[in-house]
Amino acid sequence: MHRLGLLLALAACAPDGGDTGTTDTATCSTDSYWTGGNEESPNMNPGQDCIACHNSGEGPNFTLAGTVMGAYDDPDDCNGIEDVRVRVTDADGVETVLTSNGAGNFYTDEDIAMPYTIVLERDGETLEMNGAQSDGACGSCHTAEGASSAPGRVVAP
């Protein structure tokens, strides 16, 4: 089944480098959240803008990164959905397949020719991004509130 409206969100570090696990589990669709601060984990800070932090010299540089969440309005640091395939097709037709980890985070440092499209796959269902994108910093728009016409988080199909 295809549903339109893929939403991307990113994972990143807190500005002060401290524990960002202040989300109440009652507000998380998954009933769990990240409490590890910035412990250099691939599961760190789901829902935050990781490219903004990583490109400032913190950790590896990513060309595209995000978090697949359980709900469009999940707050930062809610753990997302694991084992969602993220199929990125770039402007040259090159496909990169990522899989969301235990926190729902996915990322790559591979070259992505802009613009790109994304299809999420889970349990035989798919969710397609509305239109091509030219920025891998998805969390800058795909927040719990949504920005720049994004209706909210990346959600699993």
Side-chain angles (χ1 to χ4, degrees):
M1 168 190 299
H2 286 95
R3 292 183 285 162
L4 297 177
L6 173 62
L7 309 173
L8 292 179
L10 299 178
C13 63
D16 65 0
D19 181 9
T20 61
T22 57
T23 302
D24 180 353
T25 58
T27 64
C28 295
S29 64
T30 58
D31 293 327
S32 68
Y33 61 96
W34 171 255
T35 59
N38 298 316
E39 299 299 320
E40 298 182 14
S41 166
N43 294 327
M44 69 189 301
N45 300 326
Q48 294 188 35
D49 184 356
C50 62
I51 288 181
C53 181
H54 283 245
N55 285 351
S56 71
E58 294 294 324
N61 287 330
F62 297 131
T63 53
L64 184 134
T67 304
V68 180
M69 299 293 236
Y72 291 108
D73 62 350
D74 273 341
D76 286 346
D77 294 321
C78 285
N79 284 322
I81 307 297
E82 185 174 17
D83 292 328
V84 176
R85 295 189 112 189
V86 180
R87 293 188 177 277
V88 181
T89 304
D90 75 9
D92 295 332
V94 175
E95 184 177 77
T96 301
V97 179
L98 310 170
T99 302
S100 61
N101 66 19
N105 294 339
F106 60 91
Y107 48 87
T108 185
D109 61 1
E110 294 180 30
D111 288 335
I112 305 286
M114 302 295 174
Y116 65 89
T117 59
I118 289 184
V119 175
L120 297 178
E121 299 175 350
R122 179 176 172 228
D123 297 332
E125 302 227 2
T126 62
L127 183 61
E128 296 180 47
M129 177 185 287
N130 279 334
Q133 301 298 310
S134 294
D135 188 342
C138 311
S140 63
C141 295
H142 296 283
T143 64
E145 298 81 23
S148 301
S149 300
R153 301 291 192 185
V154 173
V155 294

